[in-house]
Amino acid sequence: MWNIDTNAPLQSILDNPECPPLLRRTLTGPISWQTRNETSVQKALTSPRAAPQWVAALLAMGVTITVEGDAGPEEMPLTVGAESPSPHILRIPPLFLPPMGGDEGGWRWGEARVTRTPADEPIVAVVAVVEVNGDVVRQARVVLTGVWPEPVRLAQATEQLVGRPLDEDNIRAAAEAVEKEVAPRGDFRGSEEYRRAMAGVLTRRALGQCSQQEASDE
């Protein structure tokens, strides 16, 4: 278990050799070095617009937090937003720490995004984390940014993958369900129709990456 002090800056997460590849991927790109140093973990969780893809990765990984309760420290699932509990510890499960995947746990991850330029914040982004046991999906979490009224949210539609093979037909069906579930708001970077379409396309890509990782490990 990797316990992260929520007062720490995001840059310290990236600098830590234990940082999982998925978190490393979502902390780079459009998030500048200055932003990573000026933004604490706590700020990123309470104001997800600061690092939405990183927060999406945390939700997809199913990380937990430790908060101070009336009876002492309490561990609970991560939630984000201004009204969420204020954690003092972010707990990354050991199964996500390098090396991730392989025979222990069978976890796979995928990430896909669409941007105007490589340096821009993604218009829509998808992070998928899937646990596969043999040929069957045991858990699947897909989190999207840019397609909800809030900055980031876990999609419910991909729960239909559980108990099924992570094959092309099931991935396509899950992506179509996500496309129907999202509630995007259009702006100058992308219309509602464009964002909805990208939600489906990127979900399919991210889950496809999970499927390819599964195949490569067999």
Side-chain angles (χ1 to χ4, degrees), residues 117-157:
T117 73
D120 286 341
E121 179 182 341
I123 301 170
V124 178
V126 176
V127 178
V129 174
V130 178
E131 182 189 9
V132 179
N133 183 8
D135 294 330
V136 177
V137 174
R138 294 186 61 187
Q139 296 185 60
R141 289 187 290 269
V142 175
V143 184
L144 298 93
T145 72
V147 291
W148 313 102
E150 57 268 62
V152 56
R153 187 197 293 182
L154 177 71
Q156 301 300 316

Side-chain angles (χ1 to χ4, degrees), residues 2-75:
W2 180 22
N3 294 332
I4 300 173
D5 185 343
T6 55
N7 291 317
L10 294 179
Q11 182 62 40
S12 69
I13 309 301
L14 192 61
D15 291 340
N16 194 308
E18 287 194 298
C19 184
L22 175 54
L23 294 187
R24 190 174 298 279
R25 161 74 173 163
T26 54
L27 276 174
T28 54
I31 305 178
S32 68
W33 176 87
Q34 181 177 357
T35 298
R36 291 195 299 265
N37 275 283
E38 293 178 348
T39 305
S40 68
V41 172
Q42 180 69 51
K43 181 178 179 181
L45 295 178
T46 56
S47 303
R49 294 186 190 280
Q53 286 74 49
W54 183 71
V55 175
L58 295 175
L59 290 172
M61 293 166 69
V63 306
T64 59
I65 58 174
T66 300
V67 301
E68 286 297 335
D70 294 337
E74 298 179 9
E75 187 173 352

